Amino acid sequence: KAGVTQTPRYLIKTRGQQVTLSCSPISGHRSVSWYQQTPGQGLQFLFEYFSETQRNKGNFPGRFSGRQFSNSRSEMNVSTLELGDSALYLCASSYGQETQYFGPGTRLLVL
Amino acid sequence: AQTVTQSQPEMSVQEAETVTLSCTYDTSENNYYLFWYKQPPSRQMILVIRQEAYKQQNATENRFSVNFQKAAKSFSLKISDSQLGDTAMYFCAFMKHSGGTSYGKLTFGQGTILTVHP
């Protein structure tokens, strides 16, 4: 089975712009979770989607949003980018709600 | 809220030797999962091992094993016969077993950088 894929792998944006990141889960996995990784804050949970429904959300501002499609692919969007949004964004998929398998991440740099 | 603490920011070990990484966690839950993930320089997060809290037997995956002490809320990772490819950041992570606010949420420790020297 193919692993979790994320696109794009690298992204450079400027403050105030918006960005959309994409995640394709392992075939058959219906749950997709998103995490932000920064040197200062470590790994923080953003949100989780299952069957096109957001079931859980971390403590991030409303500028961070996401969605999931009927094929379980997920996107996350960050609007009005700030310098502090520079991070590695990881998505993970799981079949049930336990073991998560991660994608390679999208590295976002906000200038 | 759950917290996960890794008290060793960095560790080093010689190739072929054994090293143990520490992790403690705080929770009022009785049913949960614990994980160790490794993140090599490529930044790809790779599952190393998983432990269900209801299982008393410690999980083992080839050279990797855990020492799970539920009462002490301790979950250490032992790497035997260390290899150069084990060089990575290691994260301990917690997930509640039940649904609701636990859905899809891993709580991570700060990580331990492990360097394996030839």
Side-chain angles (χ1 to χ4, degrees):
Chain A
K1 272 186 183 178
V4 179
T5 58
Q6 291 187 246
T7 56
R9 294 295 309 280
Y10 303 93
L11 209 48
I12 300 176
K13 292 287 187 179
T14 56
R15 280 180 299 174
Q17 287 186 313
Q18 74 166 17
V19 67
T20 299
L21 312 182
S22 180
C23 172
S24 293
I26 293 171
S27 177
H29 286 192
R30 296 166 66 187
S31 171
V32 174
S33 297
W34 289 88
Y35 297 86
Q36 181 196 64
Q37 185 177 21
T38 61
Q41 299 298 317
L43 282 149
Q44 294 185 287
F45 172 76
L46 281 156
F47 29 64
E48 187 257 5
Y49 286 87
F50 183 89
S51 292
E52 302 179 66
T53 299
Q54 185 184 89
R55 297 193 301 184
N56 200 0
K57 188 177 191 303
N59 188 26
F60 278 82
R63 300 186 296 107
F64 292 82
S65 63
R67 59 177 176 169
Q68 187 180 35
F69 301 94
S70 58
N71 62 358
S72 294
R73 188 177 70 84
S74 177
E75 290 181 346
M76 68 163 281
N77 184 276
V78 188
S79 62
T80 319
L81 283 165
E82 300 177 359
L83 296 178
D85 297 333
S86 294
L88 178 69
Y89 290 88
L90 293 166
C91 93
S93 75
S94 66
Y95 177 76
Q97 62 166 356
E98 344 66 41
T99 305
Q100 295 186 0
Y101 298 91
F102 284 80
T106 294
R107 190 183 294 272
L108 172 65
L109 176 62
V110 182
L111 302 176
Chain B
Q2 289 74 35
T3 59
V4 178
T5 302
Q6 295 177 247
S7 58
Q8 306 152 313
E10 292 188 48
M11 297 275 288
S12 65
V13 64
Q14 293 294 125
E15 201 175 3
E17 293 188 345
T18 295
V19 64
T20 298
L21 308 184
S22 300
C23 172
T24 58
Y25 58 96
D26 187 25
T27 184
S28 58
E29 300 293 326
N30 193 46
N31 294 318
Y32 49 87
Y33 299 97
L34 294 164
F35 304 86
W36 280 98
Y37 284 90
K38 65 181 276 190
Q39 189 178 42
S42 67
R43 309 305 297 275
Q44 171 81 52
M45 192 76 80
I46 301 165
L47 175 70
V48 175
I49 200 163
R50 179 183 102 163
Q51 175 79 43
E52 292 91 339
Y54 67 87
K55 290 186 178 179
Q56 293 189 342
Q57 186 172 3
N58 290 321
T60 299
E61 284 288 343
N62 301 314
R63 299 182 294 107
F64 299 88
S65 61
V66 299
N67 183 2
F68 173 48
Q69 301 290 328
K70 190 173 184 179
K73 296 179 182 175
S74 170
F75 183 60
S76 62
L77 174 70
K78 185 172 82 171
I79 306 174
S80 305
D81 186 26
S82 296
Q83 300 176 0
L84 297 178
D86 295 334
T87 292
M89 174 87 90
Y90 285 80
F91 291 96
C92 177
F94 172 100
M95 178 185 285
K96 283 168 57 176
H97 182 271
S98 55
T101 58
S102 74
Y103 284 127
K105 179 180 179 180
L106 282 166
T107 300
F108 288 90
Q110 307 93 314
T112 296
I113 299 172
L114 175 67
T115 303
V116 180
H117 298 284

